[in-house]
Every structure is written in structure tokens, then in C-alpha cells.
Amino acid sequence: MFSVLLWVCFATLFILRPTTCTKETSSCDLKVEDVDLVASSALGQGRSRSRRDVDDIDYHEVVHLHNQVRAGVAPSASNMKYMSWDEGLAEKAQEFAEQCKGGHNPDLDYIGPGFTTVGENIYMTTAPELNWFDAVGRWADEVADYDIYNDTCKEGKACGHYTQVVWADSYKVGCGATECDSVEGTGMTDAILVVCNYGPRGNFVGRKPYMLGERCAECRQGDNCSMGGLCSNPFRDSSCACVSVHPLLLMVCAVMGLLLWA
């Protein structure tokens, strides 16, 4: 019976083995060196998209803008990870955006292998076009009200969008956008709703978004310092929309194999 369970375990691993992504089905072709990063807090002007194209997310632009903000934080971060695209997060964000509801998604406990909790930023606009520079820039502008030394936000202001964008350990992002006739609970009509999900989530109470210090000084072993001061790693930064094997399943199969061998 035990050997049967072991074979089932290995069969599951085979079915869920990492697959080779293609340009037609994923964003695996995006590499760290493809992004022309300006290592400053100033964002370059983004491109606008007409309302009929809001569902066509330019993940290169989204990733580029997020990493510009992350690399340009002041004071500098010593452990800021490069952020790359995740299709699972993007699908979850798009599903929620299409509900046209105000407030955050109540179902963010688990999205795909590796993410037990997920962060979320929301942006709404009645502008005739969607401009990702405006969306990410609005979140980044909250830095003016945030004091990282004391980890405090000015009274009556919101800083959580900014701190999520620059949360050092959040290394994946996926976004969705849609046009809404009305956004429930907000009173907004004829609006574009943007949702970005982050994995793993940030904004833990009592923790600063990143460690202050020389850029890349606290990168993990095996990381490279690139893009003006972000900790990058080819394995972690892969933007594949592939199915990955949950580490817990690997561990269970390994333990079962050792017990059977013994």
C-alpha cells in the first residue's frame, strides 16, 4: 500500500513537472537585461491605452515601472528584489477587476504554488485612456507621506500602496484592468478599474518595507546585483506562466521514498 502511494506521489510530480514556456503562451522571454532601468525615483512617461484595449496588459511596461520605483527608493534599499511578472497573479487580478467592485478582493489567501498570502493595489480612473504610468505613479507618489525611518504615514493619508510596491520581499506582480459602467460601492461610473496582485504580500504591521543600506548589500546568496540596485536571480525572476511543483509535495515524496528504501 505504501509503495502504491509513493508511485501516486511520483506520478503527480510528473504531471505537475515544470513545462517549457513559449512566447505564445507566456512571458518567459522577459529577461532582467531587457528592461532599460533608470536608477532614479523619477518614472519615464508611459503609454496610454484606449478603453477597448484595457484588457490587453503590457506586462513589460508594468514590470518596468514597478522596478523603476523599487530601484529608486530613497533612502536606498539593501535587500530590494527585482520584481517580475506572474500569470497566476494576473489572472486573479483580472477576475476581480471584472467584478467592478470597490474595495479589496476578500479571497487573497492562496494563489498558486508558493504564495500563501497575496498583496493587492487598486487604482480607478475616469480618464478616457488607461495609462500605466499614472496608475503606478499614483501609488508611488504616496512616498511623500511616508516616513520609513519611523515606519509611519501622515495622519489622514494613505501609504499602503507605496509600501506594497516597494516591499523588498514581494518579487512577483500580476495585474488586470477592465472598463466598468459603474464601480460598486464607490459612486464612480464609466471608469477603468486596475488591480495588481503581489506575491508574496507585503504590508506586515511592525515591519518596514525594506532594509536601509547600500544597494544590494543584503542580497541573498546566489543573487546578482543588477538594474541599478535590485537583487536578481534567474530562477526566481523567471516570468513563466508554467505550472510549478509545490515544495511541500516534493518533500512528501522524498520522505516517502526514504521510508520505503529503509
Side-chain angles (χ1 to χ4, degrees), residues 1-261:
M1 180 63 181
F2 193 79
S3 60
V4 173
L5 291 175
L6 181 61
W7 279 111
V8 171
C9 191
F10 284 141
T12 304
L13 284 175
F14 178 80
I15 294 172
L16 295 180
R17 70 192 186 282
T19 56
T20 301
C21 302
T22 63
K23 292 183 179 180
E24 289 75 19
T25 59
S26 77
S27 55
C28 292
D29 55 320
L30 178 64
K31 296 180 176 61
V32 172
E33 56 268 24
D34 290 337
V35 181
D36 181 19
L37 177 72
V38 178
S40 89
S41 59
L43 297 176
Q45 182 62 40
R47 290 169 291 178
S48 297
R49 297 186 175 276
S50 65
R51 285 183 177 273
R52 64 178 179 276
D53 295 328
V54 293
D55 291 344
D56 181 22
I57 307 299
D58 186 342
Y59 64 84
H60 289 90
E61 185 175 15
V62 174
V63 167
H64 173 74
L65 290 171
H66 275 80
N67 282 321
Q68 277 191 300
V69 177
R70 292 167 71 82
V73 293
S76 61
S78 62
N79 66 328
M80 186 71 72
K81 290 185 176 68
Y82 168 79
M83 184 170 280
S84 56
W85 188 259
D86 184 89
E87 192 61 32
L89 294 176
E91 290 178 0
K92 189 72 172 181
Q94 185 64 38
E95 289 175 2
F96 185 65
E98 291 176 356
Q99 296 180 35
C100 292
K101 294 181 178 180
H104 288 282
N105 189 343
D107 182 23
L108 290 174
D109 290 337
Y110 178 84
I111 301 179
F115 299 137
T116 55
T117 57
V118 176
E120 183 178 71
N121 277 351
I122 295 176
Y123 169 78
M124 291 178 285
T125 179
T126 55
E129 297 178 326
L130 170 58
N131 189 314
W132 283 100
F133 168 81
D134 290 340
V136 179
R138 179 68 63 84
W139 299 332
D141 285 345
E142 292 179 357
V143 66
D145 299 314
Y146 179 67
D147 180 356
I148 191 169
Y149 295 105
N150 297 307
D151 190 25
T152 56
C153 187
K154 290 182 180 178
E155 186 176 354
K157 299 292 185 178
C159 299
H161 301 96
Y162 167 74
T163 52
Q164 176 59 84
V165 169
V166 300
W167 197 267
D169 288 331
S170 296
Y171 60 92
K172 290 293 184 181
V173 61
C175 302
T178 194
E179 182 180 0
C180 299
D181 293 333
S182 64
V183 181
E184 181 181 325
T186 67
M188 295 185 68
T189 59
D190 195 22
I192 297 175
L193 178 62
V194 173
V195 178
C196 285
N197 287 151
Y198 302 86
R201 63 158 286 196
N203 289 341
F204 287 96
V205 177
R207 285 181 54 187
K208 296 180 180 180
Y210 61 85
M211 296 173 59
L212 280 64
E214 182 181 351
R215 289 182 174 88
C216 292
E218 299 293 335
C219 289
R220 294 182 179 180
Q221 185 175 2
D223 285 2
N224 300 309
C225 185
S226 61
M227 299 183 60
L230 299 178
C231 303
S232 62
N233 183 294
F235 180 78
R236 185 177 65 236
D237 301 337
S238 170
S239 297
C240 296
C242 310
V243 175
S244 59
V245 179
H246 198 289
L248 181 59
L249 181 58
L250 284 172
M251 183 175 66
V252 170
C253 290
V255 171
M256 291 178 65
L258 289 174
L259 290 175
L260 185 63
W261 180 264

